[in-house]
Amino acid sequence: MLWFLLFSITVFIIYYLHFAVAQRAWRQMRGGQSNEIDLHYVRVEDYFGRSFRSKMQDWMELPALESSTANLREIEKGNERLYIAPAAAYPDSVRESGILAIENTFTCGSGCRFQREIYVRDTADIGVNSRLQAIAVDGNLTLRQGVQVVRWVDAKGILDIRDRCRVGARATSATRIVLGLDSRCLSLFAPEIETQGRQEIVSSLPRQRPGSILIPPPENEDGSLAEQEGINLKRLHRMSSDTWIYEGDLEFRQAVQLRANLVVMGKFVCGEASLLEGDVRARLIRVGTGSLCKGNLVAEGELLLARHTTFQGILHSGGAMRLARGVRGFNVSQQVAAFAGERLAVEPNVVVHGKLSSNQFVQAVFGASK
Amino acid sequence: MVLLIIISKLCLYAAILFLALYAIRHYIFAYSRFSLARPRDTMDIVGFVMPRITVLVPMHNEERVAADILQALIACDYEWEKLQIIAINDRSRDRTGAIIDEFADAYPMIQSFHRTEGPGGKPAALLAASEMATGEIVLLFDADYYPGRAMLKMLVAPFADPKVGAVMGRVVPHNVGGSLLAGLLSLERAAGYQDGQQARYNLGLTAQFGGTVGGVRRTALMAVGGWNTDSLTEDTDLTCRLLERGWEVAYVNRAECYEEVPVAWPVRRNQLQRWVIGHNGCLHRYAGRLCRSRLLTRWQKIDAVFMLACYWTAPVLVLGWLASLVLYFAHTPDSWGFVALLMFLGYQLFANQATFVELGVAAMLDGSSRRILLLPLNLLNFFSSTVAICNALWQFYLRRITGDGNQEWRKTGRTRDEADAGQSPFLGGGRGGDR
């Protein structure tokens, strides 16, 4: 009997606590309103640079500490210490722990360590193998070989990222970014992004070849689709007035002229000088040399653009992506973007007007592929 | 007596099997959602996909909220030259029409569409207004929703993929403190979107278009026959037809939009009954067709059937309870282990679609540490939903048997205060939220 009573009381207490906690939580929530969404959020690619500059403008107007000199103003804001100098030229291997605001140019030697953000109103030149937290520059910014930026980097002028640099988050510029060999960033955004070895291309835009595979195939007089080599018409279905779906792989060595949107349930491979006027979605996409992609390319896995291909829309891959030598990405009406779920490898002489980003990293690599 | 026991045992085992399959499905979702470092999304290309779009806002007696939604859409950071907003005055008897006209006069991208005749209901209004749409993409917002500034760009981004026929954003209740029911529904919504929809999208299964805070590709909409005015859940109906034809529904978890959830139990019951009847109609119309489609994978077919049959969990559970009672009074102790299993599985189904563990996972992902404490009280929502779902299914089959196929489209009641009319409660942030 005693055990039964104890058991009953224990069960009752457990149940009571179960609901009492819930009831208490509800009493605290009652009458409140959800505050979870930032309704004013808009996606701005150079947000970090803008936000930091805005904060710095406010902070720089705060009164300086007594320890300040003519060449170095010190400002304290909470636990932060801000140093403002007209110009700065750090020698090699310096360590700096405060936030820096430089009114003119900023240079540092090799192997320096800056543990907090830096703001430069003119140009900046970061020495070899230095390590920064983040930097916003109103002029041009050069990151020399082996520089590591833990977070973001933003420049209003040209952002020159030399070989073997690492940027942990976004690299943005309002003018141009030059990405050196073996350098890695999570994402890059600028009106123009280029890799080393840029050469103006003698126009290699595709000429419409007489032997091109037409997708969808032209219609016969009776309304049926004409036979095309490499396409099993039984597997080709119309999804809508402008979109077709193909069950299986579509692999062509010759040029393809795609005249509608196409969903391929397998691989999509097209030959040299193809003209893709519509969007393509496939498990894997490989576009041949010198092709022109007017639409978007979306691959569940790998996506490869061969040499001298031009894209004018979005490239999106769930797997790795490779932009071979001479690839161009631009559109007169709006910026373009390439995103890879895994590594986005960019060979030399690639120019993209817009954005390159990856879940892993964007890396400038040697041009090995043909 | 022996026959009754045998039937009861069969019912019990069938219920356990059915519910166990659902429980497994939702555990997979919860695990997948929790284990994936970065969910599948298109946030990296937001702002780079800017087709011409049409936003449809159907309104029936919405004078309290009409100005809010139109103001919010105008404030979005989408280029006005590429934006067409069609504000639909669907036979309103209040000032909705006048408010719409005021906006249409003031802003060139807003067009008013006054509907004075024809069948009632949202699908009929959408069907009529769609003829005016000129955008490549048609987005939809109910009048009581409040989109943020980046909403349109975020919803449009997935359409870079030619396979995407429709897109769905996430709805977040703003009136979580309005009543206990609203608080519980916020948990359920979080599980349905943050966990269920995102997991299904991650796994390449069948994310669902929800008819608001979402959009559809206009050519895809036309190809599958437009809006089905006979369906009480035109969104699920459209989802099924899109899937059958090989289209994909994308989900954008970051495209969050405030909605008003029911604060009163009768309103919730009506809403749920409409969903159940519409959903079940889709189950009958499309389950077979989806299973036969050559354009869906095996797992997509299975998930689609699970999605359409989700409301069957309630009557199956009730059946299992009844069978348990029979077996208890018939003194068949060999079945008690199964009864305990049924109790456990029933405990998983704490809401109409989300399992207990999903509610918890979603609350954790959202960082709503305080709201997670409400979980035990969700028992109330569970019992209420179970009754409402069983009742709705009973009505559905009764009408099929009697041949009375007409279902009336009943609008969900709003509770936003009249004093708030035209003055959004969202502007300037929330009031004493729970985070």
Side-chain angles (χ1 to χ4, degrees), chain B residues 35-94:
Chain B
S35 60
L36 198 65
R38 187 171 164 163
R40 182 182 174 196
D41 73 17
T42 46
M43 286 304 290
D44 275 271
I45 55 169
V46 166
F48 294 90
V49 185
M50 296 281 285
R52 180 166 172 75
I53 62 170
T54 298
V55 183
L56 299 180
V57 189
M59 303 188 210
H60 175 68
N61 296 334
E62 301 283 12
E63 65 178 6
R64 294 180 189 178
V65 292
D68 288 347
I69 175 76
L70 294 176
Q71 195 64 54
L73 288 170
I74 292 161
C76 283
D77 69 336
Y78 209 85
E79 287 175 29
W80 283 14
E81 293 74 30
K82 292 182 176 178
L83 177 62
Q84 177 195 31
I85 299 170
I86 302 179
I88 309 164
N89 168 25
D90 187 19
R91 302 167 306 146
S92 299
R93 292 184 298 275
D94 61 2

Side-chain angles (χ1 to χ4, degrees), chain A residues 139-202:
Chain A
N140 296 337
L141 167 62
T142 302
L143 304 181
R144 294 192 178 272
Q145 282 82 350
V147 169
Q148 289 188 35
V149 181
V150 176
R151 291 163 61 206
W152 49 266
V153 49
D154 178 69
K156 287 187 177 173
I158 296 168
L159 170 56
D160 186 0
I161 303 173
R162 301 277 171 87
D163 298 352
R164 292 179 285 100
C165 289
R166 300 283 183 270
V167 179
R170 296 182 198 178
T172 52
S173 162
T175 311
R176 191 167 87 226
I177 298 176
V178 181
L179 188 65
L181 209 55
D182 195 29
S183 285
R184 292 181 187 180
C185 305
L186 192 65
S187 82
L188 301 114
F189 173 77
E192 194 168 275
I193 303 165
E194 64 180 62
T195 48
Q196 284 183 346
R198 179 173 179 172
Q199 295 170 350
E200 290 314 317
I201 297 172
V202 180

Side-chain angles (χ1 to χ4, degrees), chain A residues 119-139:
Chain A
Y119 170 51
V120 183
R121 282 207 164 130
D122 200 339
T123 60
D125 191 330
I126 310 300
V128 174
N129 295 329
S130 293
R131 185 182 168 93
L132 320 176
Q133 188 64 220
I135 183 166
V137 179
D138 288 351

Side-chain angles (χ1 to χ4, degrees), chain A residues 28 31 48 85 98 158 188 196 332 365 368:
Chain A
Q28 288 171 347
F48 293 118
I158 296 168
L188 301 114
Q196 284 183 346
V332 287
V365 297

Side-chain angles (χ1 to χ4, degrees), chain A residues 38-88:
Chain A
D38 178 6
L39 292 169
H40 303 286
Y41 165 81
V42 288
R43 191 171 176 91
V44 179
E45 296 297 338
D46 57 353
Y47 168 79
F48 293 118
R50 284 189 195 208
S51 166
F52 178 62
R53 280 189 185 87
S54 164
K55 267 186 200 164
M56 291 300 285
Q57 299 294 349
D58 296 342
W59 288 8
M60 286 164 77
E61 286 171 14
L62 294 173
L65 295 175
E66 286 179 2
S67 53
S68 299
T69 63
N71 282 333
L72 184 69
R73 273 199 301 146
E74 285 184 51
I75 292 172
E76 211 166 49
K77 172 104 170 60
N79 296 329
E80 314 276 12
R81 184 158 285 217
L82 172 66
Y83 299 98
I84 304 171

